[in-house]
Amino acid sequence: MSEEIVALRKRVVSCTKCILHKSRKNAVPGYGNIGSEIIFIGEAPGRNEDLQGEPFVGMAGQILSEALAYSGLKRNDVYITNVVKCRPPNNRQPLREEREACREHLLRELEIIRPKIICVLGNTAFDSLLGGNLITKNRGKVFKRDGQFYFVTVHPAAVIYNPDLRQVLKDDLKFLGQTLDKIKKGLQIEFSE
Ligand code: URA
Ligand code: SF4
């Protein structure tokens, strides 16, 4: 691990910038390969993540792993994080002020890793990163903002409530892998702004 990411992890685990620090068991910094060309960004840690201090290790994490395996992207090769690093009580959505407070940690992760493409998982991340909504309408799309590529897909937890989305997520991540290959080869890709 680079010194920069170690320093960031230390700041996150001792962070008290928003109210979520009071109820957490563990803060959950991002995890994975800091040389990754893709960062996956979810919403917030859930119960298992709070207990283990690692992102996407519960049910949603299993679904994400399965979709990654299908897509040809390797979980160990990528970096995975969340918009907020501490679990909101009862898994409620993180409030705007909590997301704002935690933004510096996310921006620092992006600065250290400098991904070629950011995979936005679900509505909270879509709103926080791109000011977007209506994930079902916008999923599967590539966006480009300030020179940075983003890819938007459904949140893995949504699959738990809507099994039809399991294949949607898998196919989206496969497309994401193909898109990354094109970006790396300098080929043209279609995107929205
Ligand atoms: N859901 C998220 O958004 N992030 C996690 O880390 C786990 C579940
Ligand atoms: Fe700090 Fe983010 Fe945790 Fe709030 S959610 S206490 S800003 S690390």
Side-chain angles (χ1 to χ4, degrees):
M1 255 190 255
S2 78
E3 277 173 36
E4 288 171 310
I5 208 88
V6 171
L8 174 60
R9 292 178 72 84
K10 278 194 187 144
R11 277 212 300 286
V12 169
V13 298
S14 59
C15 180
T16 55
K17 269 187 72 194
C18 83
I19 191 100
L20 296 180
H21 82 276
K22 294 206 176 185
S23 49
R24 75 182 176 214
K25 290 209 166 51
N26 290 291
V28 181
Y31 188 83
N33 172 14
I34 59 160
S36 178
E37 291 164 324
I38 307 186
I39 294 191
F40 289 83
I41 305 181
E43 176 175 305
R47 185 168 171 275
N48 290 290
E49 291 77 21
D50 179 58
L51 290 172
Q52 296 182 44
E54 240 187 74
F56 283 99
V57 290
M59 180 100 83
Q62 275 176 35
I63 293 165
L64 178 60
S65 294
E66 183 197 40
L68 282 168
Y70 178 87
S71 74
L73 295 163
K74 294 202 173 55
R75 182 158 174 159
N76 286 340
D77 287 349
V78 301
Y79 186 90
I80 300 174
T81 193
N82 286 298
V83 169
V84 300
K85 313 305 192 216
C86 302
R87 182 196 184 200
N90 302 315
N91 298 344
R92 65 158 170 77
Q93 263 194 314
L95 304 175
R96 190 160 295 275
E97 68 217 54
E98 294 158 354
R99 295 193 259 149
E100 281 307 315
C102 214
R103 182 176 283 275
E104 67 164 83
H105 301 311
L106 182 59
L107 292 180
R108 187 71 188 124
E109 287 177 304
L110 294 174
E111 208 172 74
I112 294 170
I113 292 164
R114 290 185 288 114
K116 290 199 164 40
I117 191 160
I118 296 170
C119 183
V120 171
L121 297 169
N123 260 321
T124 298
F126 189 30
D127 176 45
S128 297
L129 287 149
L130 292 167
N133 53 25
L134 304 178
I135 202 80
T136 41
K137 184 164 159 269
N138 286 295
R139 58 138 282 280
K141 289 188 191 163
V142 177
F143 291 80
K144 193 173 188 184
R145 290 276 173 88
D146 301 324
Q148 171 72 59
F149 284 118
Y150 296 82
F151 178 72
V152 174
T153 188
V154 296
H155 194 289
V159 171
I160 300 167
Y161 307 103
N162 182 354
D164 292 346
L165 293 178
R166 186 176 291 265
Q167 194 60 38
V168 169
L169 179 64
K170 286 178 167 178
D171 290 335
D172 276 0
L173 294 199
K174 192 166 216 171
F175 178 76
L176 169 62
Q178 292 162 350
T179 302
L180 176 64
D181 283 341
K182 286 190 187 164
I183 293 172
K184 288 202 285 189
K185 288 182 184 145
L187 300 175
Q188 290 291 91
I189 57 168
E190 277 184 40
F191 59 83
S192 315
E193 307 219 26

